[in-house]
């Protein structure tokens, strides 16, 4: 997560179709950040939930959230 949030255009060996994996990741990250959606997942640092914000270099910054007010 720390690498692919910062550099979402990178792929890993588990991405069978590299181009589709990158396109899918970019689409989801863009949507989540633009719509201010709280996300959660297994490979996200504790507390496992947070929000994304696009940075100026094409990546995303993750901010952990314990709960939504």
């Amino acid at each position: 997560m720390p690498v692919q949030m910062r550099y979402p255009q990178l792929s890993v060996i588990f991405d069978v179709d590299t181009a589709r994996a990158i396109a899918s990741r970019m689409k989801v990250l863009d949507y989540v950040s633009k719509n201010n959606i709280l996300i959660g997942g297994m490979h996200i640092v504790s507390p496992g939930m947070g929000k994304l914000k696009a940075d100026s270099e094409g990546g995303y910054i993750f901010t952990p959230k314990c709960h939504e007010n």
Side-chain angles (χ1 to χ4, degrees):
M1 183 195 153
V3 174
Q4 285 184 320
M5 289 296 136
R6 186 79 175 106
Y7 305 101
Q9 70 281 5
L10 293 180
S11 184
V12 295
I13 196 167
F14 302 111
D15 292 338
V16 176
D17 185 332
T18 302
R20 287 179 89 183
I22 292 169
S24 178
R25 181 170 36 260
M26 296 295 289
K27 184 177 179 179
V28 170
L29 296 176
D30 182 59
Y31 181 83
V32 166
S33 68
K34 284 182 178 175
N35 292 285
N36 198 34
I37 296 173
L38 183 67
I39 62 169
M42 297 301 293
H43 300 287
I44 297 178
V45 296
S46 182
M49 298 183 77
K51 294 198 175 179
L52 294 177
K53 180 179 178 184
D55 70 17
S56 61
E57 297 177 14
Y60 295 86
I61 299 165
F62 177 75
T63 302
K65 301 261 185 201
C66 291
H67 59 82
E68 205 51 34
N69 291 333

